[in-house]
Amino acid sequence: MGACLEPTAAMGPYRVEMRGQSFYLTRTGTPPEARAGRYEAVLPFLDFRELGAAADQITGHPDWARWEEAGRPAPADTSWTLPPDGTGPAAPDDWEITEETADGAHQLRIRGPWIVQHEPGRELWSAEIGYSDLPAFLWLVTRTAYA
């Protein structure tokens, strides 16, 4: 399974590509500080709304319920996040989000079970997130919205 979904207006600069066990979340017009590390991103604070809309698009897709039925693993396993050479730690099992202010900008620092990539020349930021980690991610983003 693989599908690039048509973004909704509520998703702002975010786009989603669904795959078999995970999805790619891409942001256009990304500030350079977005890539903080392999498992960490720094995004504008108000992006929490758009991140929630992107997650809602995935959970609202007809194939969302089928990923686990197809025999794909549901338990937390971040071994897939190891670098290609297999060295270094894997991503953390849980999501962590903190608010910070840097250079007068209110930002979200998000660390979790994903792989973050940044293409500075194209101002693209993307992350691969396993479907089994999406409910906790959505809860965290929603909690941030109401904090």
Side-chain angles (χ1 to χ4, degrees), residues 15 18 34 66 73 95-96 101 107 110 115 118 129 143:
R15 308 291 177 262
M18 294 182 70
R66 296 185 202 144
W95 294 100
E96 180 184 318
T101 302
Q107 302 169 326
I110 305 171
I115 297 174
H118 186 66
I129 303 172
R143 187 192 75 184

Side-chain angles (χ1 to χ4, degrees), residues 23-141:
F23 67 97
Y24 290 107
L25 178 65
T26 301
R27 186 188 196 284
T28 59
T30 307
E33 64 274 7
R35 173 123 195 243
R38 184 172 173 83
Y39 312 124
E40 188 172 44
V42 176
L43 300 168
F45 178 78
L46 292 179
D47 277 20
F48 72 83
R49 295 178 185 138
E50 296 150 344
L51 289 167
D56 285 343
Q57 185 182 50
I58 293 167
T59 59
H61 191 276
D63 286 335
W64 162 251
R66 296 185 202 144
W67 74 269
E68 197 171 312
E69 293 170 6
R72 296 179 181 98
D77 174 14
T78 58
S79 62
W80 66 273
T81 66
L82 286 169
D85 65 3
T87 62
D93 291 336
D94 296 318
W95 294 100
E96 180 184 318
I97 191 167
T98 55
E99 297 176 39
E100 56 185 46
T101 302
D103 298 327
H106 199 174
Q107 302 169 326
L108 295 174
R109 181 174 294 271
I110 305 171
R111 182 168 168 74
W114 60 358
I115 297 174
V116 176
Q117 298 178 1
H118 186 66
E119 296 181 41
R122 297 181 54 205
E123 295 184 337
L124 287 177
W125 170 92
S126 64
E128 182 177 6
I129 303 172
Y131 290 133
S132 60
D133 296 309
L134 181 59
F137 178 78
L138 184 55
W139 179 85
L140 193 67
V141 169

